[in-house]
Amino acid sequence: MVTRSGQEYLQALRDGREIWLDGERVADVTVHPGFRNTAASLAHLHDLAHDSAHRPVLTRDGVHRAGIVPRSYEDLVARRAAHKVWAEAGYGFLGRTPDCMAAAAAGFAAVPGVLAGGAYDGTGAGLALHRRLGEGGLYGAFTLTNPPGRQTPDDERTLRVVGEKDGGIVVRGAKMIGTAAVFADEIVVGTIEPLGEGDADRAVTFALPVAAAGVSLVSRTSYEGRARSVFDSPLSARFDENDALLVCDDVFVPWERVLTYRDVGSTFRVWWHSPAFLNLVHQGATRFWTKLEFLTGIAILLAKSSGTYELPPVTQAIGRMLGRVAQAKAFVLAAEASYESVDEGRGGVAPGRDITYAQRIMAGELYPQAVQEVKALGGGGLLQLPSSGADLLHPDLGPLLRAYVRTPDSPADARVKLLKLAWDALGSEFAARHEQYERFYHGAPHVYLMQQAWEGDGASCERLVRDCLDGYGPTGRPEKR
């Protein structure tokens, strides 16, 4: 099997899928001004794996390394190297690239027994999903979050099973947040939050083609569509992976695509008792490290452009930024180094659980700090910018701007270009979305914090304190043991 080319990927998107934006149905995301540049950026990722100098890093035996179950520490490192190539191609701003869900599906395949629960066994469906995303090279997205607000057993908003037919089930309702779903081949639908015994109808996990009958994706505002040009919005014009609400209107799901069915336990375990979530974070943490490198690069170039790079406060700020980069990198390397065996080695290995959960806590807190640090270095220059690159091209206005917008260390064209990039990364609506994304893209904090509390090594922390408490009595002298 050979990974798809970018052109083959784009052709697959022309499948009649139902995408809605600004009150209109989008006929073809590959040419629509709200999606086409990002689709091209994603096609470029496919080309890197299909036929480029990066192919040996990105693939093994024609399969992207994210879709391969790692069997050793070295395999984890190799998978991370592949994640890093794609993360750098999007400068850290494409979060749900195809390697994300492919890695999660490899997590299902590592311990397929977690898909067996109650009266239903989804093992075959899970392995088939892994083959489609791994060996088949399809692009999988996922929606795991229920609509906001208090959920009740009869809540018709939340996606649920409403019936069975010969050969499968029928589902109805909505899920969010379908990041990059409009660009994917398939959507995995499930939940990472604990469900109650009365939630059997909602306890379901399945995979659907995006173009399946009855499936609609309602896009949020397209930042790409609002971008005036690549010069003025270099990130949002090319790397807006979009987020969409998934709506299922009595959608038929064949049994061979149903991973868990009406079983609260297996629907929860598929993410938390397999390496699936750990693999998702491995990809996300590698991308986060890359994104901090990018923000730090902006900080350095802003300081050099302004001629302030040697000033002690600026040097300290850049030192803090570089420290954050090292911190993000350290979490990735530590998760790999503390790897754990899966199913007593039968399922290979996975990144260390404690470090993986801790990375999610760190990243959500660290990203806003990094953004504020770079904003401070940009100062008022981030606000006083020409309205567009067209100003620099105007025969009368261009020379005026070149005379007054330049600095002794940077000509006007280069400075405006840098500041436009910085604003897109730091202060635009696109940037605000990314700050929110870094806080919540792996679910609400209470979910993974709960897992950290349940599964983290709290016993060793308790043991250390009890050892201290047991060392003295009311008199302050050591007690007999």
Side-chain angles (χ1 to χ4, degrees), residues 38 93-96 179-180 182-183 239-243 433 437:
T38 302
F93 287 89
L94 288 174
R96 297 278 171 77
T179 302
V182 298
F183 302 107
F239 305 112
D240 179 19
E241 63 189 340
N242 208 280
D243 308 286
R433 179 264 180 194
Y437 178 81

Side-chain angles (χ1 to χ4, degrees), residues 301-309 377-378 407-410 415 418-419:
L301 291 177
L302 285 173
K304 289 184 175 180
S305 173
S306 300
T308 60
Y309 187 72
L377 291 173
T407 70
D409 299 277
S410 180
R415 181 162 173 77
L418 172 61
L419 289 169

Side-chain angles (χ1 to χ4, degrees), residues 284-296:
T286 304
R287 180 201 54 79
F288 182 78
W289 161 24
T290 305
K291 198 172 187 179
L292 285 189
E293 287 180 319
F294 188 81
L295 293 184
T296 303

Side-chain angles (χ1 to χ4, degrees), residues 311-343:
L311 296 179
V314 175
T315 302
Q316 292 171 25
I318 291 173
R320 283 192 295 272
M321 288 294 298
L322 288 168
R324 292 185 177 103
V325 171
Q327 189 176 350
K329 177 181 179 180
F331 271 89
V332 176
L333 302 188
E336 294 166 358
S338 62
Y339 69 91
E340 55 191 53
S341 295
V342 177
D343 192 19

Side-chain angles (χ1 to χ4, degrees), residues 56-337:
V57 176
L58 287 167
T59 67
R60 192 181 79 191
D61 299 327
V63 177
H64 194 288
R65 290 185 185 273
I68 300 172
V69 176
R71 298 290 172 183
S72 65
Y73 166 73
E74 289 75 17
D75 284 348
L76 286 177
V77 172
R79 185 174 72 185
R80 180 246 301 161
H83 289 325
K84 193 74 166 69
V85 170
W86 272 8
E88 290 184 357
Y91 308 105
F93 287 89
L94 288 174
R96 297 278 171 77
T97 43
D99 53 337
C100 185
M101 189 60 223
F108 300 157
V111 278
V114 299
L115 296 167
Y120 181 77
D121 186 351
T123 299
L127 293 174
L129 173 67
H130 175 233
R131 287 192 297 271
R132 292 196 302 273
L133 302 191
E135 296 172 12
L138 296 185
Y139 186 170
F142 54 91
T143 55
L144 306 176
T145 305
N146 292 325
R150 187 172 61 87
Q151 307 292 315
T152 61
D154 58 350
D155 192 339
E156 295 187 355
R157 300 172 305 150
T158 304
L159 190 140
R160 64 206 183 281
V161 178
V162 295
E164 293 186 18
K165 290 184 177 179
D166 289 343
I169 63 174
V170 179
V171 297
R172 182 190 306 157
K175 280 281 185 176
M176 51 181 277
I177 300 167
T179 302
V182 298
F183 302 107
D185 296 293
E186 298 196 9
I187 307 174
V188 176
V189 183
T191 180
I192 60 172
E193 300 181 7
L195 297 172
E197 289 304 319
D199 293 324
D201 287 343
R202 292 184 283 181
V204 60
T205 310
F206 55 88
L208 277 175
V210 175
V215 172
S216 303
L217 288 171
V218 184
S219 168
R220 53 119 167 110
T221 295
S222 169
Y223 307 133
E224 176 183 329
R226 289 187 174 185
R228 301 177 67 178
S229 69
V230 172
F231 182 89
D232 294 307
S233 306
L235 299 174
S236 53
R238 296 180 294 167
F239 305 112
D240 179 19
E241 63 189 340
N242 208 280
D243 308 286
L245 177 72
L246 169 74
V247 179
C248 291
D249 184 12
D250 288 355
V251 173
F252 176 70
V253 186
W255 287 119
E256 57 266 27
R257 287 180 168 272
V258 179
L259 280 70
T260 69
Y261 181 60
R262 294 183 55 82
D263 185 78
V264 170
S266 60
T267 300
F268 181 75
R269 289 193 302 268
V270 66
W271 298 102
W272 298 108
H273 292 190
S274 79
F277 186 81
L278 303 178
N279 290 353
L280 288 176
V281 178
H282 193 211
Q283 181 269 349
T286 304
R287 180 201 54 79
F288 182 78
W289 161 24
T290 305
K291 198 172 187 179
L292 285 189
E293 287 180 319
F294 188 81
L295 293 184
T296 303
I298 289 178
I300 293 170
L301 291 177
L302 285 173
K304 289 184 175 180
S305 173
S306 300
T308 60
Y309 187 72
E310 303 295 335
L311 296 179
V314 175
T315 302
Q316 292 171 25
I318 291 173
R320 283 192 295 272
M321 288 294 298
L322 288 168
R324 292 185 177 103
V325 171
Q327 189 176 350
K329 177 181 179 180
F331 271 89
V332 176
L333 302 188
E336 294 166 358

Side-chain angles (χ1 to χ4, degrees), residues 337-386:
S338 62
Y339 69 91
E340 55 191 53
S341 295
V342 177
D343 192 19
E344 298 181 346
R346 289 184 290 271
V349 300
R353 196 169 297 265
D354 281 355
I355 302 297
T356 296
Y357 292 163
Q359 191 278 340
R360 289 304 313 122
I361 300 167
M362 175 277 298
E365 297 172 352
L366 193 63
Y367 191 76
Q369 298 171 16
V371 168
Q372 292 306 312
E373 192 87 71
V374 188
K375 279 184 177 180
L377 291 173
L382 293 172
L383 302 176
Q384 191 61 68
L385 278 170

Side-chain angles (χ1 to χ4, degrees), residues 404-441:
Y404 292 103
V405 178
R406 66 179 177 83
T407 70
D409 299 277
S410 180
D413 289 51
R415 181 162 173 77
V416 170
K417 186 177 184 181
L418 172 61
L419 289 169
K420 288 279 190 181
L421 172 64
W423 182 252
D424 208 20
L426 303 169
S428 65
E429 189 174 357
F430 172 84
R433 179 264 180 194
H434 273 269
E435 185 168 329
Q436 194 75 353
Y437 178 81
E438 296 300 346
R439 293 171 185 258
F440 296 105
Y441 73 91

